Amino acid sequence: MRRPEAMCNLYSNTTTQEAMRGLFKGLSDRVGNLGPGKFYPDQLAPIIRHADDGLELVTARWGMPSPPSVLKTQRDPGVTNVRNLKSPHWRRWLGPEHRCLVPVTAFAEPVKGGNQWFGLDDPGITMFFAGIEIRAWRSVRKVKHGETEDDLFAFLTCPPNAEVAAVHPKAMPVILTKPDEWHAWLSAPIETAHRLQRPLPDGDLVLIEDQ
């Protein structure tokens, strides 16, 4: 399995904890003070995931375990985005217990000389990436730190819509903007949830300035 091309390895989130608690009844907030920010691979970022008593807002490290076949050394930098849900490597983490939502306000695709940012045409709509997560995974992320135990996440990708295709013709993140989509991704059987792996309609995204 080849690593995916560089894509959407930078996003930002300004959705407040209070707003997320309002969107998900009974959400347990376990991140402390969460301010707006940009997120890069291998950094901690907020996710909403399942807990024993409902849903919880926590932080996890961006980058799921890599397929062993692509690793050339003991170090595993992680996989930031997931496309092929039929791969045995990913199938084991597609059950509802491993699905999560990643709050996002804007995301960037690499272009010559920098990044092109995308946001919703209607900034009043809340969006999340459709993600998967795993907890207490032991691996060597950085040689100088040795083996660590981390909660990890990544998000799904799909074919791009018109706005993203003009910049990155191969893929875009799977973005969910409606409550029924959020709850379906978190709880529906994969036979239903996998239908959410599709692009936003053309026109829903706009190009925006550097975040």
Side-chain angles (χ1 to χ4, degrees), residues 1-4 42 62-82 87 89-90 92-93 134 137-141 152-154:
M1 181 184 297
R2 297 176 59 190
R3 286 190 178 280
D42 207 36
W62 185 11
M64 286 287 282
S66 302
S69 61
V70 307
L71 296 178
K72 297 181 180 179
T73 67
Q74 186 183 13
R75 176 178 176 268
D76 180 2
V79 175
T80 58
N81 44 77
V82 176
S87 163
H89 182 72
W90 302 122
R92 54 183 156 168
W93 295 317
I134 188 171
W137 183 267
R138 299 195 65 84
S139 63
V140 178
R141 306 285 288 200
L152 306 174
F153 79 95

Side-chain angles (χ1 to χ4, degrees), residues 137-150:
W137 183 267
R138 299 195 65 84
S139 63
V140 178
R141 306 285 288 200
K142 295 182 179 179
V143 174
K144 65 180 179 180
H145 294 159
E147 188 176 72
T148 59
E149 184 175 280
D150 303 283

